[in-house]
Amino acid sequence: MEKDFTSNIKILRQEYNVSQPQLAKETGLKKSAIGHWELGNRTPSATAVIILSRYFQVTTDYLLKVSNDNNLIHRGDDFNVDLTTFNKRLKALRLKCNKSQKDLAMETNLSQPSINFWERGKCLPNANAIITLANYFGVTTDYLLGESD
């Protein structure tokens, strides 16, 4: 996933003719984080994925290379991210599939404590976990993150 995200954020940044420092300034993200993502050294958080999708006016699925649909969408310019919808949707999807947190962890190779923390809103997943969960439940990353209904 990192390579896809790396190439996509770099391509989008170049298409928007924006430098890393400018992107950092306009979004509130750290320039060093953007650099690490583009080098493939780190994986972005859920919050960063949403902020970047809003900035570039693309879906989180497109940004994460889960989808090739690059139709521009209006996301607004609000970079304040509230992931309470993610917590609720993750739990609802898990219960709908009649899975325990332990079952979900075993079937996705994610940790059960992480799933517990995510559902309780104690911490946030990274981009890899978001993709894994969206694929597992057959939903878009946009839906899981609360960016679409």
Side-chain angles (χ1 to χ4, degrees), residues 24-83:
K25 183 178 180 183
E26 292 180 14
T27 61
L29 298 169
K30 292 185 179 184
K31 179 190 166 292
S32 60
I34 294 167
H36 283 293
W37 299 330
E38 288 190 7
L39 291 171
N41 295 336
R42 293 191 186 150
T43 303
S45 68
T47 302
V49 169
I50 292 171
I51 289 171
L52 291 168
S53 77
R54 289 177 183 178
Y55 181 84
F56 292 120
Q57 304 291 303
V58 297
T59 64
T60 58
D61 289 307
Y62 179 75
L63 184 66
L64 296 171
K65 292 268 188 164
V66 177
S67 165
N68 291 327
D69 181 5
N70 67 346
N71 292 328
L72 294 179
I73 56 174
H74 181 65
R75 292 280 197 193
D77 54 4
D78 179 12
F79 298 135
N80 294 317
V81 176
D82 175 12
L83 285 171

Side-chain angles (χ1 to χ4, degrees), residues 124-144:
L124 300 172
N126 67 23
N128 291 330
I130 295 165
I131 293 169
T132 298
L133 291 166
N135 287 340
Y136 179 83
F137 290 117
V139 298
T140 65
T141 59
D142 258 15
Y143 175 80
L144 189 60

Side-chain angles (χ1 to χ4, degrees), residues 76-122:
D77 54 4
D78 179 12
F79 298 135
N80 294 317
V81 176
D82 175 12
L83 285 171
T84 55
T85 302
F86 166 78
N87 310 107
K88 293 174 186 171
R89 286 187 177 170
L90 174 59
K91 185 173 184 175
L93 287 165
R94 180 179 59 77
L95 294 175
K96 183 178 178 183
C97 292
N98 199 29
K99 299 288 181 183
S100 67
Q101 290 178 349
K102 184 177 179 180
D103 293 337
L104 179 59
M106 288 188 340
E107 293 175 20
T108 60
N109 291 322
L110 298 169
S111 79
Q112 190 272 326
S114 293
I115 293 168
N116 183 312
F117 286 155
W118 298 334
E119 286 186 2
R120 294 175 34 220
K122 299 295 182 187

